[in-house]
Amino acid sequence: MSNSKHRHGLRMVAFLVALHASFFASQAQTKLSPYHPGQTPEGAVYYLPKTALRISVLVEKTTYQPGDFAPYAQRYLRVADVSQEPKQSYRVTDVLVTPCPVPDSSKVYAVRFNPLTVASRMMLSGDGRLLGLNVDDVADVDMPPFFVPTPQPTMKEPRSLLNEEILSCGSTAKMAELTASEIYDLRENRSLLIKGQADFMPHDGRQMQIMLDELDANDRSLTSLFVGVTRRDTTEHILWYVPEAAPDSMPAPSTRQVLFRLSQLRGLVEPDDLSGAPYYIMVDDISQLPPAEPTAKKAKAKTESGIYVNVPGRMRATILEGINPILVQDMPASQFGRTLLLSGSLFNKRYTTRLRLNALTGALERLDADQPKKTFMLFSKKEKAMDDSPQRAHE
């Protein structure tokens, strides 16, 4: 009995030791949190941007639905080549390219705030790009608005315009004949109304326009029973493409890449879907910047303190349908340029420095460095002493 109690006590001790060890092990684990660039009490981390291409592709879908009297269009309305089979097709109507800034992960820098400097008011975008320093009225790049399709005109239901005589016909051919007669009557009434020979003439121009619109709407609706209905719908597809510079910072040869494909059955499809015809994108580095500094000087510059800004290059984006270019556009591109270090001496207490960067390229847009008035007064007194010196008077 005593042995069993002893074994039970050992089990309880072992359990408590294991529980205690697991508790402290859980407390010793490192707590990880996602990294977000921005300002902290000790300093700030910021990105410089690179240029991404926001490509808006407008694709028009055309749908054709044949009418009930399509086989009789040639006989009664003298309209030839009317298809009796439904059709569907797609085509690209427009391509718009807009340069937009995105953070460049290869250009991320940390700034540690110093009480002896004035670089503590850094203005950052939502994704951590540097917009300005010691300025308030900074604005990020506005995204272009989305495409808003034009409302489609509504058409009356054709069968709601057919009278009792037409609907009671025993054959489709007879129904087509009587419907064609109704269409010709509408056109004749419209002609008489325009000529002023109608039995009931409108009192004013507005009433006449209402009558003409009503006749035209009925004509289109009944005619669709013969020629069918064609509907066109335009949709916008947004694609993103980020050009990359050559690793050695030299102009890279232009290469074509499949941007998207267009299928006549499904519209815009993925680049690897071979059911569609390819549309290509080609980006050329057209920068004309002077040669970069040697590597040794770059390494030395990295040890210096200050604020980095971009010196952007330029690129040419070309969209091709097969081998035929449909859009060629030149624009600035930070990834085809290089960075410039603004010395930390510009941001000490001797100056009131205001820095503004271009939101798209990260290039220096404006830099104001004003000296305090006290320093300026000392300089003025020194100049006055030089003017009153004997040597100056002798001259």
Side-chain angles (χ1 to χ4, degrees), residues 42-43 56 60 75 136 176 184 207 218 221 224 261 272 375-376 388:
E42 296 79 18
S56 170
E60 182 185 77
R75 180 189 303 180
D136 297 322
Y184 288 125
Q207 188 178 11
N218 293 344
S221 181
S224 67
R261 292 177 181 269
D272 56 354
T375 306
F376 178 75
D388 296 339

Side-chain angles (χ1 to χ4, degrees), residues 151-358:
Q152 294 287 336
T154 58
M155 189 173 62
K156 294 182 178 181
E157 173 59 35
R159 290 191 170 273
S160 65
L161 302 176
L162 301 181
N163 55 36
E164 182 180 0
E165 182 183 3
I166 298 175
L167 294 175
S168 61
C169 292
S171 67
T172 305
K174 187 61 176 179
M175 291 179 66
E177 181 182 357
L178 295 177
T179 303
S181 178
E182 285 289 327
I183 293 173
Y184 288 125
D185 287 342
L186 290 171
R187 294 175 182 177
E188 182 180 2
N189 292 334
R190 186 180 188 279
S191 178
L192 294 174
L193 189 61
I194 293 176
K195 294 176 182 179
Q197 301 173 0
D199 295 336
F200 300 98
M201 291 299 298
H203 299 291
D204 53 24
R206 183 175 179 274
Q207 188 178 11
M208 182 174 182
Q209 187 62 49
I210 294 175
M211 295 175 67
L212 290 175
D213 292 342
E214 185 69 16
L215 290 173
D216 290 341
N218 293 344
D219 187 354
R220 286 194 302 270
S221 181
L222 291 177
T223 304
S224 67
L225 292 172
F226 293 88
V227 300
V229 177
T230 300
R231 181 181 176 87
R232 292 179 175 86
D233 299 301
T234 302
T235 56
E236 181 185 34
H237 301 266
I238 303 298
L239 308 175
W240 288 89
Y241 181 81
V242 182
E244 298 294 343
D248 55 357
S249 300
M250 297 296 292
S254 59
T255 57
R256 294 192 312 172
Q257 295 185 20
V258 179
L259 182 62
F260 65 91
R261 292 177 181 269
L262 188 69
S263 169
Q264 291 300 318
L265 298 177
R266 293 184 294 157
L268 191 143
V269 295
E270 295 294 330
D272 56 354
D273 190 338
L274 301 182
S275 65
Y279 282 72
Y280 298 96
I281 184 170
M282 184 169 59
V283 176
D284 297 314
D285 180 6
I286 58 173
S287 304
Q288 297 182 353
L289 297 175
E293 296 180 359
T295 307
K297 293 185 178 180
K298 284 187 177 181
K300 182 180 178 181
K302 288 184 179 179
T303 63
E304 299 177 0
S305 62
I307 300 295
Y308 282 93
V309 298
N310 277 332
V311 180
R314 292 190 65 80
M315 65 180 175
R316 175 171 296 154
T318 305
I319 308 294
L320 305 100
E321 181 183 2
I323 61 174
N324 302 315
I326 59 177
L327 182 142
V328 179
Q329 185 173 335
D330 296 349
M331 64 199 75
S334 301
Q335 56 266 48
F336 294 117
R338 53 178 179 268
T339 57
L340 174 68
L341 176 65
L342 301 180
S343 175
S345 61
L346 292 172
F347 306 98
N348 57 36
K349 288 296 183 179
R350 295 178 55 192
Y351 300 95
T352 302
T353 305
R354 293 180 296 276
L355 173 68
R356 188 188 306 275
L357 300 186
N358 185 287

Side-chain angles (χ1 to χ4, degrees), residues 110-126:
V111 176
R112 185 174 183 180
F113 295 151
N114 191 323
L116 299 179
T117 66
V118 294
S120 59
R121 292 182 57 226
M122 302 189 69
M123 307 302 295
L124 303 178
S125 65

Side-chain angles (χ1 to χ4, degrees), residues 103-155:
D104 190 343
S105 59
S106 66
K107 297 178 182 178
V108 55
Y109 305 99
V111 176
R112 185 174 183 180
F113 295 151
N114 191 323
L116 299 179
T117 66
V118 294
S120 59
R121 292 182 57 226
M122 302 189 69
M123 307 302 295
L124 303 178
S125 65
D127 53 7
R129 292 175 289 108
L130 180 63
L131 300 177
L133 189 67
N134 298 325
V135 291
D136 297 322
D137 54 339
V138 293
D140 204 353
V141 176
D142 294 329
M143 289 295 173
F146 290 102
F147 171 76
V148 178
T150 304
Q152 294 287 336
T154 58
M155 189 173 62

